[in-house]
Amino acid sequence: DAGVTQSPTHLIKTRGQQVTLRCSPKSGHDTVSWYQQALGQGPQFIFQYYEEEERQRGNFPDRFSGHQFPNYSSELNVNALLLGDSALYLCASSPWDSPLHGYTFGSGTRLTVV
Amino acid sequence: GEDVEQSLFLSVREGDSSVINCTYTDSSSTYLYWYKQEPGAGLQLLTYIFSNMDMKQDQRLTVLLNKKDKHLSLRIADTQTGDSAIYFCAEIRDTGRRALTFGSGTRLQVQP
């Protein structure tokens, strides 16, 4: 049973560019959340998707947007990249009706903005 | 994550017990979690505890919750070199929000 899969694993972009990161949730999970983890920090919540809608959002600018597809997979888009967007981006999945028993995380996408 | 605080570093010898501590400030937190992150990897859920519990044990792991002091601890018995990693305490403050708030992590180094 595959867990949460993310692609790509590493990415280098130039300041001002746009990036799309992808996530496939664990089988049986219908909710996807995205987190940003800067070096030496804990993950910070970006947003959460369920039924193809953004349900909750953390304190991130609207340069960060997302999408969820009918098969529950999700994309995170970041526009107008800044150097400070360099981080590990983690996707987590859970069942909407029982999320509190813990989220399953992917291995992340390491984004470097130069 | 600044409202969840953890010490930065802990070093123990193989075979000893490790205790990783966490304090949180939001009294409405009802679900608390411990995650493990190895180098270059994502987060692995180790265990969780609900606020109506004081203790939870799972094999080598023991979680203690002191709601009065808003203090959570993770004890790892018979620590092994494979336990070397960063450990994150996390909380869900509002069950309606479902978003995890993480501490900055404690790096555990196990010396042979």
Side-chain angles (χ1 to χ4, degrees), chain A residues 16-96:
Chain A
Q17 285 188 315
Q18 178 264 346
V19 69
T20 298
L21 310 182
R22 295 176 176 82
C23 171
S24 292
K26 182 179 178 179
S27 177
H29 288 184
D30 54 9
T31 304
V32 173
S33 303
W34 288 91
Y35 289 80
Q36 180 196 66
Q37 186 179 17
L39 198 62
Q41 300 295 318
Q44 299 280 325
F45 174 72
I46 303 175
F47 43 51
Q48 183 180 78
Y49 277 83
Y50 169 65
E51 290 188 328
E52 303 178 48
E53 291 185 9
E54 182 183 295
R55 298 292 177 155
Q56 298 174 23
R57 190 178 184 91
N59 189 26
F60 279 80
D62 57 11
R63 296 188 298 109
F64 290 77
S65 63
H67 189 76
Q68 186 180 34
F69 299 94
N71 67 352
Y72 310 126
S73 67
S74 177
E75 289 182 349
L76 163 66
N77 301 293
V78 187
N79 293 324
L81 284 166
L82 303 174
L83 297 180
D85 295 330
S86 294
L88 179 68
Y89 288 84
L90 294 163
C91 172
S93 71
S94 64
W96 178 258

Side-chain angles (χ1 to χ4, degrees), chain A residues 37 56 96 99-101 103, chain B residues 33 37 48 96-98 100:
Chain A
Q37 186 179 17
Q56 298 174 23
W96 178 258
L100 300 174
H101 296 277
Y103 293 80
Chain B
Y33 304 85
Q37 187 175 38
Y48 61 91
R97 267 190 64 77
R98 304 160 177 253
L100 288 161

Side-chain angles (χ1 to χ4, degrees), chain B residues 64-81:
Chain B
L64 295 178
L65 175 60
N66 181 330
K67 285 194 69 180
K68 175 176 172 291
D69 295 334
K70 299 188 183 66
H71 183 265
L72 182 73
S73 67
L74 174 69
R75 178 178 180 270
I76 305 173
D78 186 25
T79 313
Q80 303 297 307
T81 55

Side-chain angles (χ1 to χ4, degrees), chain B residues 18 46 58 61 88 91:
Chain B
S18 306
L46 292 177
D58 184 1
L61 304 180
F88 290 96
E91 60 177 350

